[in-house]
Amino acid sequence: ILKNIKSNSDFILTIGKKNHSNMIYCSSRAKAIADAFSFSNEISQIKISIPLNDAIEKIGSYIHQSYYLVECLKKGVAYHHGQLPLVIRNIIEDLFRTGHIDYMFCTPTLIEGVNMPTKNIFINCEDKIRLTKDKKRNANKTLTFWNLAGRAGRYRKELAGNIFCLPSADKKWDSTEIFKIKKIKLTTTIDKKLDSSSSLKKIEEALEYNEFDEEVINKTIEYLANIICIDTLRFPNNFEESFILKKFKSQHLKDILELAKKRSEMIKNISFDVINSYKSLNFEIQRKVYRKVKTAPSEHVLPEFTYDNCLTLLNKFLELYEWEKTEKMKSNQIKFFGFLMNDWVNGTPINEMITKAIKYHKDNQVELYIDHGKEKPIFNGSKEHINHIIDNLLENIEKKLRYTFERYFNHYHKVLISVLGEDKAGQNWATFLEYGSKHPLVIAMQNLGVSRYTAQKIFKDKELKKCLVINSETKQLMGFNKQELLNKLKINSIEYDEVTLIV
């Protein structure tokens, strides 16, 4: 068949058309989206099944009708990555399992973590996985490769599967050793650093620095240095009890251990629970936050969540946690994240947030950062520009709100607890960010297994709310009156499907 193959897409189509389960590994979210959309354009019109048509309508309604994923699904193609809302990921995964999607372009979040019947796996040749001259990095690449390859034919329906290794536009599998070596000797990060004189020197530097400077100190090195310091506090009388300190001691690296003991002095008055939970957060910053809260604890308790308070807190954290250094965040971005955070925590549906973002870009003729280093185009309402806005917004929700901000607000609240005690520490905004709501009932529903989307639907509808089982004394949510709730929901809607799966 290779005589007639002109591209990777040709090859995937030729091989894949005989099977309903084809996974294509892509090293990044952007590549998965771009490759899936490009590939779908090469497929002629297909007969759309009822479940596939339902999914197209649901995703178009949940996200946007011009979303690339909607276009891909019309050709039996999908993409999957970590920034997709959980509701959408569940729909896509179910379609693939049941054979309504033939081709899935995905990042390792799917291919390494979700059990699915897979006949063919196509692995693109990427720097993250192909062997290079840097042998120190190749062991992990070999592990990643066989982890991916091992997914073929492993699940439920398929007893055997095929692995196809494709060249990229500018890269080839220069070394074929990765296809032959299955036994992999893995070494811990600590062992690698102990074997490297340059890494040991950097650890010393990290332990000696009094001021945080990300340009000088690598985050991995700082994280390792922090762990050493924490363990000198945990095991002050016997370093043999610590896995990491024991290794440093056995290598006669006493100077580093002494530096760690000295550096740990700056955090010994801070709650060990706080420090141990945030090993990667710079010690100087943690000490500064602790001192700030300690001066007037009750004044630093987080207030009621409002847009104005949100903006005030984000500006406060920008300075307190030195976000310009630690997160590369500028002060002029705070207003944007304030709007986004306010909408998210107040339960605004994703599609409404997207519609507002598109309108803002249109009304204000905003420049788009599509290709770094190239001219920034003005938003023109095209499908490409709309999808750029959608993907940016979804990424900001997952990476900024639900990860970065959630982490800092959680740390801040832990500091408050360590000073004031849990009863007086006030509300934790990190919970609002994680669940996308400030209402305890919406958060409780999500803990029982439904998505933010479905929880908000029930919360806002008086009739649906009657189907909740609430303890009369504690006022806590105990469960759902499932059948009554299903009778009131639209059949085949996202919320209907989710409630159906509730035990």
Side-chain angles (χ1 to χ4, degrees):
I1 64 170
L2 292 176
K3 292 179 181 178
N4 300 316
I5 298 298
K6 297 179 181 179
S7 65
N8 283 350
S9 293
D10 278 350
F11 184 79
I12 295 168
L13 270 172
T14 303
I15 297 294
K17 65 185 178 184
K18 296 179 182 179
N19 299 284
H20 290 296
S21 53
N22 301 284
M23 275 190 186
I24 302 92
Y25 163 76
C26 302
S27 61
S28 68
R29 172 179 64 99
K31 184 167 177 56
I33 296 170
D35 285 6
F37 187 62
S38 174
F39 181 81
S40 68
N41 287 331
E42 297 186 28
I43 298 177
S44 54
Q45 201 64 40
I46 65 165
K47 184 179 179 181
I48 299 176
S49 64
I50 293 175
L52 189 55
N53 190 60
D54 285 345
I56 290 168
E57 289 183 9
K58 288 173 185 173
I59 295 172
S61 173
Y62 186 92
I63 302 287
H64 196 277
Q65 292 297 333
S66 296
Y67 193 34
Y68 279 154
L69 184 55
V70 172
E71 296 297 310
C72 289
L73 288 174
K74 292 175 182 177
K75 302 291 185 70
V77 178
Y79 54 80
H80 187 292
H81 57 77
Q83 272 76 62
L84 280 176
L86 183 60
V87 169
I88 305 303
R89 274 183 273 160
N90 288 341
I91 291 172
I92 295 302
E93 289 166 18
D94 186 59
L95 287 172
F96 190 75
R97 285 192 189 97
T98 52
H100 295 286
I101 290 175
D102 294 331
Y103 304 92
M104 179 86 85
F105 289 75
C106 52
T107 60
T109 53
L110 173 67
I111 208 165
E112 291 180 1
V114 181
N115 291 349
M116 289 199 197
T118 307
K119 185 63 178 177
N120 300 316
I121 287 185
F122 300 86
I123 302 178
N124 282 305
C125 184
E126 304 285 347
D127 284 338
K128 289 183 179 180
I129 203 168
R130 73 184 185 121
L131 298 185
T132 61
K133 293 179 181 179
D134 187 352
K135 293 184 179 180
K136 290 181 180 179
R137 297 178 181 271
N138 285 343
N140 289 340
K141 291 180 180 181
T142 304
L143 177 67
T144 302
F145 175 84
W146 283 107
N147 198 21
L148 298 175
R151 301 310 182 197
R154 187 180 280 183
Y155 310 116
R156 299 176 187 169
K157 300 178 182 178
E158 305 288 355
L159 295 177
N162 306 311
I163 306 153
F164 299 97
C165 301
L166 309 176
S168 295
D170 58 343
K171 296 179 180 68
K172 295 182 180 179
W173 299 90
D174 298 322
S175 170
T176 58
E177 288 302 307
I178 201 166
F179 307 139
K180 302 170 186 175
I181 301 171
K182 293 188 181 180
K183 289 185 178 180
I184 304 155
K185 183 182 178 182
L186 293 177
T187 55
T188 67
T189 301
I190 296 167
D191 287 325
K192 287 179 184 177
K193 301 303 180 190
L194 284 171
D195 291 337
S196 168
S197 57
S198 62
S199 292
L200 289 173
K201 182 65 177 173
K202 288 176 182 175
I203 291 172
E204 282 191 57
E205 290 173 356
L207 292 168
E208 287 176 334
Y209 272 106
N210 294 319
E211 294 294 328
F212 174 74
D213 190 343
E214 195 180 71
E215 299 300 321
V216 177
I217 303 173
N218 175 278
K219 282 191 175 183
T220 304
I221 292 292
E222 184 183 33
Y223 179 64
L224 187 53
N226 287 354
I227 292 175
I228 300 168
C229 291
I230 290 167
D231 272 16
T232 62
L233 288 177
R234 183 186 288 172
F235 309 105
N237 301 316
N238 188 2
F239 287 175
E240 293 289 328
E241 293 182 39
S242 163
F243 166 76
I244 187 169
L245 297 184
K246 186 177 179 180
K247 281 186 172 291
F248 276 82
K249 189 176 178 182
S250 66
Q251 293 283 346
H252 305 292
L253 298 169
K254 293 181 181 179
D255 289 344
I256 287 181
L257 293 177
E258 286 302 316
L259 283 171
K261 285 174 67 176
K262 185 178 179 181
R263 185 172 177 79
S264 66
E265 288 291 313
M266 74 168 64
I267 55 167
K268 69 178 183 180
N269 294 323
I270 305 175
S271 163
F272 184 79
D273 180 52
V274 174
I275 293 294
N276 198 41
S277 298
Y278 291 87
K279 299 181 184 78
S280 61
L281 189 54
N282 177 263
F283 282 173
E284 284 86 357
I285 290 175
Q286 294 207 51
R287 182 170 63 170
K288 183 170 70 170
V289 173
Y290 182 78
R291 285 177 172 175
K292 182 85 171 177
V293 171
K294 189 77 173 174
T295 53
S298 57
E299 293 179 14
H300 292 288
V301 172
L302 296 183
E304 178 189 359
F305 186 93
T306 65
Y307 171 68
D308 288 338
N309 287 340
C310 176
L311 212 55
T312 300
L313 259 296
L314 289 180
N315 277 306
K316 176 181 177 179
F317 278 27
L318 178 73
E319 180 183 352
L320 192 59
Y321 286 98
E322 301 179 28
W323 280 351
E324 291 195 6
K325 288 182 180 178
T326 58
E327 301 299 334
K328 300 290 188 277
M329 194 180 299
K330 305 297 182 186
S331 57
N332 59 7
Q333 293 178 282
I334 292 298
K335 190 174 181 181
F336 163 74
F337 284 118
F339 277 123
L340 192 67
M341 187 168 161
N342 185 59
D343 275 350
W344 176 248
V345 172
N346 279 308
T348 305
I350 294 285
N351 61 346
E352 285 186 29
M353 294 174 72
I354 290 169
T355 300
K356 284 171 69 173
I358 292 171
K359 185 178 186 304
Y360 174 82
H361 281 75
K362 181 181 178 181
D363 292 347
N364 295 280
Q365 295 289 289
V366 178
E367 292 181 332
L368 301 178
Y369 291 83
I370 294 179
D371 291 316
H372 294 288
K374 294 185 179 180
E375 186 178 345
K376 299 186 287 289
I378 299 293
F379 177 76
N380 61 15
S382 67
K383 191 169 289 188
E384 179 191 5
H385 286 188
I386 287 173
N387 274 271
H388 178 75
I389 291 169
I390 292 172
D391 287 327
N392 273 358
L393 186 132
L394 295 179
E395 183 178 23
N396 279 322
I397 289 173
E398 289 299 317
K399 282 192 171 182
K400 288 297 184 186
L401 301 189
R402 299 190 70 231
Y403 178 73
T404 301
F405 287 1
E406 191 268 347
R407 176 170 168 259
Y408 285 108
F409 275 97
N410 226 350
H411 175 265
Y412 188 80
H413 192 255
K414 271 185 173 290
V415 173
L416 284 168
I417 291 174
S418 74
V419 175
L420 290 167
E422 194 148 5
D423 292 339
K424 296 180 180 179
Q427 54 191 351
N428 186 0
W429 285 19
T431 305
F432 302 162
L433 289 164
E434 181 183 354
Y435 292 94
S437 177
K438 61 183 179 182
H439 297 289
L441 197 54
V442 174
I443 292 169
M445 279 190 269
Q446 291 183 64
N447 283 327
L448 288 179
V450 300
S451 67
R452 171 183 182 267
Y453 174 84
T454 296
Q456 290 286 358
K457 281 269 186 180
I458 296 170
F459 181 75
K460 292 176 181 177
D461 189 303
K462 289 183 179 179
E463 287 302 309
L464 296 179
K465 218 171 176 180
K466 292 177 182 177
C467 301
L468 301 179
V469 180
I470 298 175
N471 186 301
S472 57
E473 294 181 7
T474 64
K475 305 301 179 184
Q476 290 184 327
L477 178 67
M478 305 300 293
F480 301 89
N481 187 325
K482 183 174 176 180
Q483 195 53 54
E484 186 182 344
L485 191 54
L486 288 173
N487 291 339
K488 293 181 179 181
L489 292 170
K490 182 182 177 182
I491 296 176
N492 289 333
S493 62
I494 290 175
E495 51 270 32
Y496 184 93
D497 292 345
E498 285 190 4
V499 173
T500 302
L501 296 174
I502 293 175
V503 177

